[in-house]
């Protein structure tokens, strides 16, 4: 077996903190007409002892998912993040911006344009460079990808970097945040150190509730770190982001949440009710696979993205349907695979509860 090499620092010292075995591709939803079986790929998480970057050690090329509809929770998060950066005086009116690529869709450019900041010309350096839509984590070569972004940063510019922090993944046992195609999982102390190696000082840090804990960092050449940075760094180190023993607790969370999903579905079916899901998210793939839940008990997963309609969840074979089909079926229980959407879906689909149904966040029991 070849040794693991860190995607950032190139070191080979570290420990596996999560091993999910072989899992379906979590970024691709096959047409319902394709019967399978679906290919499986290793899904593991390795914590580098040198730089502290949590990462996928395997380089399997897996197919990509159709781009989904961006939920309101993400647009609200982006608005709040841009407002925080503006309040700190980091968004110069009349300035220019370069945005890093992301396969998830969504962009900071409209919000920034509303504040007088417009895209830089091809190849030009910009006053603001932003990786705010979880794009950098998709790069197998983390050093090359970050260097590519920073090459577009003006000498006195600001780099805005937003990520679902590894501290939140540990704190909430979010093992199914680990998925194919997401090669890197940043903690704030690791991200601060990565940027310092490239000559940037993180001057400001903000935390937001999205996904249980999202962090926005502002970094620039020169300057000094404000108190918000040390506060977040210290809290995350105390939370065990560099401790392989504490990170290894993710493995225990797998059985807990898979059992909870199976018990929720089985209890609802036993009482004579119909169970459906909402949000054909990539994080749902491994959870359904580990729980052994299929279309015989969870009959369908509704999703707002037309690109996913007529497809099925990889591995489990559960059909993906439009929200209208969910309402017509009047399920007794709807398992929500992205709990951040709870307020949004209850507002958008009040018919579920009006018909006596219940929304249940995935991983909890009713």
């Amino acid at each position: 077996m070849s040794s693991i090499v860190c995607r950032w620092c190139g070191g080979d010292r570290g420990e596996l903190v999560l091993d999910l075995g072989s899992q379906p591709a979590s970024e691709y939803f096959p047409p319902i007409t394709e019967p399978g079986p679906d290919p499986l790929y290793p899904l593991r998480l390795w914590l580098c002892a040198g730089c502290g970057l949590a990462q996928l050690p395997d380089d399997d090329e897996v197919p990509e998912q159709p781009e989904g509809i961006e939920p309101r929770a993400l647009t609200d998060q982006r608005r709040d993040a841009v407002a925080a950066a503006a309040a700190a005086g980091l968004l110069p009116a009349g300035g220019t911006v370069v945005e890093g690529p992301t396969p998830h869709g969504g962009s900071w450019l409209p919000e920034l344009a509303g504040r007088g900041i417009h895209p830089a010309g091809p190849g030009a350096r910009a006053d603001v460079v932003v990786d705010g839509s979880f794009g950098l984590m998709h790069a197998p070569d983390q050093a090359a990808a970050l260097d590519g972004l920073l090459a577009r940063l003006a000498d006195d510019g600001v780099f805005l970097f937003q990520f679902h922090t590894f501290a939140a993944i540990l704190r909430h046992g979010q093992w199914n945040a680990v998925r194919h195609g997401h090669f890197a999982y940043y903690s704030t102390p690791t991200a601060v150190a990565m940027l310092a190696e490239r000559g940037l000082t993180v001057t400001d840090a903000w935390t937001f509730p999205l996904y249980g804990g999202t962090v926005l960092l502002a970094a620039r050449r020169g300057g000094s770190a404000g108190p918000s940075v040390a506060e977040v760094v210290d809290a995350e180190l105390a939370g065990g982001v560099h401790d392989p023993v504490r990170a290894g607790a993710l493995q225990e969370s797998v059985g807990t949440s898979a059992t909870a999903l199976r018990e929720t579905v089985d209890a609802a079916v036993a009482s004579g009710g119909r169970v459906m899901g909402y949000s054909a998210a990539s994080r749902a793939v491994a959870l359904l696979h580990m729980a052994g839940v299929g279309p015989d008990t969870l009959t369908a997963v509704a999703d707002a993205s037309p690109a996913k309609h007529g497809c099925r969840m990889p591995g489990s074979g559960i059909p993906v349907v439009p929200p209208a089909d969910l309402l017509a079926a009047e399920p007794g229980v709807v398992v929500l695979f992205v709990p951040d959407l709870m307020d949004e879906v209850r507002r958008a689909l009040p018919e579920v509860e009006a018909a006596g149904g219940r929304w249940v966040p995935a991983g909890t029991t009713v």
Side-chain angles (χ1 to χ4, degrees), residues 160-211:
L160 297 175
F161 181 32
Q162 181 171 271
F163 51 92
H164 177 204
T165 177
F166 187 52
I169 293 173
L170 296 186
R171 183 166 60 247
H172 301 295
Q174 298 169 336
W175 62 271
N176 58 330
V178 177
R179 48 198 188 266
H180 298 115
H182 291 189
F183 291 102
Y185 301 81
Y186 314 96
S187 65
T188 302
T190 292
V192 168
M194 290 169 66
L195 293 168
E197 286 188 30
R198 295 304 190 259
L200 273 67
T201 298
V202 175
T203 58
D204 300 274
W206 298 269
T207 58
F208 301 95
L210 183 70
Y211 301 146

Side-chain angles (χ1 to χ4, degrees), residues 27-48:
E27 300 287 345
Y28 176 70
F29 298 82
I32 194 69
T33 53
E34 290 186 9
D38 298 322
L40 303 177
Y41 307 88
L43 187 54
R44 306 182 297 167
L45 189 68
W46 186 76
L47 185 63
C48 179

